[in-house]
Amino acid sequence: MMEDVVRRLAEVVVRQQRFSEQLAQRQEQTDQVVGLLRESAAARVPLPDARSTAHQLMTKLTAQDDIEAYLHTFEVIATREAWDKAEWAKILAPFLTGEAQRAYVALQPLASEDYDALKREILARLGLSPISAAQQFHQWSYEDQVPVRAQAAKLSRLGQLWLLAGEPSASQVAERVVVDRLLRALPRRCRTTVGMKGPTTLREVVEAVELAEASAARDTGERAWAPPRRVNPAWRPQEGTSRPVPRPAAATPPDEPMPTEPSSHGPPAWLAGCAVHQAVPSGAPRRTVRVEGRPVTATLDSGSSVTLVQPGVVQPRAGGRSSILITCVHGDTRNVPARQVTVAAGPGSWTLEIGIVDDLPVPMLLGRDWPGFDQLLASTVRPASRELRGRKARSRKERRPRPVLLATESEKEDSDD
């Protein structure tokens, strides 16, 4: 009985081995057929081009796009789609516009095919090179109106552009910080000389500083030496004669402040007068202006640097603390109330701070602090000048002597007879 059982089990094992071998052979044949089918299909249907796929996944660069975020998005898409990095620059080129496109065109043909070189050139054109990033990093200041998260992101981006450009090691990052601090601490002349060499390591900075100091010391020594002065014997005083004593130089008179400052433009300077010591001249130019929309006759004073009005024109603000210090041509100084008002005339409308004087002899004294003063004064003086020239011309014409009629020869003969 046992022999029969063993014999049957052996037969079953043999059958299973044969069946497994047959399955392996069929699987191998199937794989070969599938491989041939794939090769034939690939030969007939080409794979999609990366540049055509990019137009479905990306948009053109616009002026509102952040160039760093745009390039980072492109790199993420290119990595996900398994595009060959050697083709990245060609794929990105059709999407560039503006300054980024000009950076691509400016590169040499071989450099334009290198994505890393293209990226560095684009960032440098847009002020995001490591040197520019370092300068912006040190000039950065906190702004109250901008969210702190956005400011922190900008500061972090500048720091990374400055310190992590070129994938440096930790020691190289520390060296960049030390080099930057040392360059900023140098004297101005030495810093300029060293900076022109563009040192990137601490050793290069030290050597450049030593060379600059040696050159400065050499230049100082050359300037300090002077050739011996030659003395003309003819100019030497004779023995026994006294040396002429030079006349003392006259003292320079001190500068005195002018009472009025003439206008730098064509019309002559007009002085409307002093509000304390004298009345306004009758010939002073006057024009009608609008103060807060109300017409007021203003006297134009080219010697006044501040505009003044009577309280009847503009009232001081109740409880206001604003005031200005005015000084007349005679040197008297007083503190008068002030107020912001809008003064409009032919040249335009501007808002300025004017003084309110109780004893001002005119309703309004328009000074040079109003931006349209020179133009308004010119338009006021020129018509009067033309009328005066016309009057002088008419008076000269009236005084022109009449021609004298000379006597003829016949008249002279008659008179002789």
Side-chain angles (χ1 to χ4, degrees):
M1 294 291 296
M2 289 297 296
E3 294 178 356
D4 295 338
V5 173
V6 172
R7 188 176 64 253
R8 290 180 180 178
L9 289 174
E11 292 176 356
V12 171
V13 171
V14 172
R15 290 176 182 176
Q16 289 180 350
Q17 290 178 351
R18 292 177 180 176
F19 183 72
S20 299
E21 291 176 357
Q22 292 176 359
L23 289 178
Q25 292 177 357
R26 291 180 180 179
Q27 182 66 32
E28 185 178 358
Q29 294 175 358
T30 303
D31 293 340
Q32 292 177 356
V33 173
V34 171
L36 294 174
L37 292 175
R38 287 180 176 177
E39 292 178 358
S40 61
R44 292 194 302 268
V45 181
L47 295 176
D49 186 15
R51 279 178 279 188
S52 61
T53 307
H55 284 279
Q56 302 175 1
L57 302 176
M58 295 187 60
T59 58
K60 271 187 171 293
L61 177 67
T62 62
Q64 290 75 25
D65 290 333
D66 183 88
I67 186 60
E68 289 185 280
Y70 186 85
L71 294 178
H72 177 72
T73 303
F74 171 78
E75 293 171 2
V76 171
I77 294 176
T79 304
R80 184 189 62 195
E81 298 295 327
W83 295 339
D84 186 7
K85 191 172 182 179
E87 301 292 329
W88 282 15
K90 296 180 180 179
I91 298 173
L92 179 64
F95 298 95
L96 299 178
T97 58
E99 193 64 33
Q101 187 180 53
R102 286 189 285 271
Y104 174 78
V105 175
L107 289 175
Q108 297 294 331
L110 294 179
S112 62
E113 297 179 0
D114 185 359
Y115 174 77
D116 294 332
L118 176 61
K119 181 179 179 180
R120 286 194 300 268
E121 182 66 19
I122 292 175
L123 294 179
R125 287 291 190 97
L126 298 178
L128 296 175
S129 62
I131 297 177
S132 300
Q135 183 177 3
Q136 295 181 33
F137 181 87
H138 290 287
Q139 294 177 351
W140 179 87
S141 60
Y142 184 80
E143 301 179 10
D144 297 335
Q145 306 299 328
V146 181
V148 63
R149 188 178 297 274
Q151 298 189 66
K154 179 180 179 181
L155 185 62
S156 176
R157 182 187 65 178
L158 293 175
Q160 292 178 8
L161 284 174
W162 168 36
L163 298 174
L164 301 182
E167 300 181 358
S169 61
S171 60
Q172 290 175 335
V173 171
E175 189 177 28
R176 287 183 181 181
V177 177
V178 174
V179 168
D180 181 82
R181 184 66 185 90
L182 180 58
L183 287 175
R184 293 180 181 275
L186 293 175
R188 182 181 183 86
R189 180 179 178 183
C190 184
R191 182 172 64 249
T192 303
T193 305
V194 174
M196 293 177 64
K197 297 182 178 296
T200 57
T201 63
L202 186 60
R203 180 178 179 180
E204 293 177 355
V205 173
V206 172
E207 293 177 353
V209 171
E210 291 175 349
L211 181 60
E213 290 178 348
S215 301
R218 183 172 61 253
D219 295 343
T220 303
E222 292 177 356
R223 287 195 300 269
W225 179 85
R229 185 177 180 183
R230 295 183 179 180
V231 180
N232 189 353
W235 291 98
R236 291 185 177 180
Q238 299 180 359
E239 296 182 3
T241 60
S242 60
R243 185 182 298 272
V245 179
R247 300 177 60 183
T252 304
D255 294 336
E256 297 182 0
M258 298 297 293
T260 59
E261 180 182 355
S263 175
S264 61
H265 298 272
W270 290 83
L271 180 61
C274 176
V276 178
H277 299 89
Q278 64 186 40
V280 178
S282 59
R286 292 177 174 84
R287 287 295 294 269
T288 300
V289 301
R290 290 189 173 273
V291 180
E292 297 294 338
R294 294 180 301 173
V296 178
T297 301
T299 302
L300 309 184
D301 185 2
S302 62
S304 177
S305 60
V306 64
T307 298
L308 305 174
V309 296
Q310 293 178 347
V313 178
V314 176
Q315 290 290 336
R317 192 179 299 278
R321 298 181 180 179
S322 178
S323 62
I324 57 175
L325 193 67
I326 62 174
T327 303
C328 71
V329 296
H330 301 89
D332 293 341
T333 303
R334 65 167 67 180
N335 200 2
V336 298
R339 186 172 176 180
Q340 291 278 349
V341 297
T342 301
V343 179
S349 176
W350 290 275
T351 301
L352 72 161
E353 188 177 39
I354 64 175
I356 304 173
V357 182
D358 294 333
D359 53 353
L360 193 69
V362 292
M364 182 176 184
L365 194 69
L366 189 63
R368 288 184 290 105
D369 56 340
W370 190 64
F373 178 85
D374 291 332
Q375 187 176 354
L376 185 63
L377 180 61
S379 64
T380 304
V381 174
R382 287 171 183 171
S385 301
R386 287 196 296 268
E387 182 179 356
L388 181 60
R389 289 195 298 269
R391 291 178 180 177
K392 291 181 178 179
R394 287 194 297 270
S395 62
R396 286 195 300 267
K397 185 176 180 181
E398 293 174 356
R399 293 195 303 268
R400 182 179 300 174
R402 296 182 179 180
V404 179
L405 297 177
L406 299 178
T408 61
E409 295 296 335
S410 60
E411 291 177 350
K412 287 184 180 181
E413 295 176 355
D414 294 342
S415 60
D416 293 339
D417 293 339

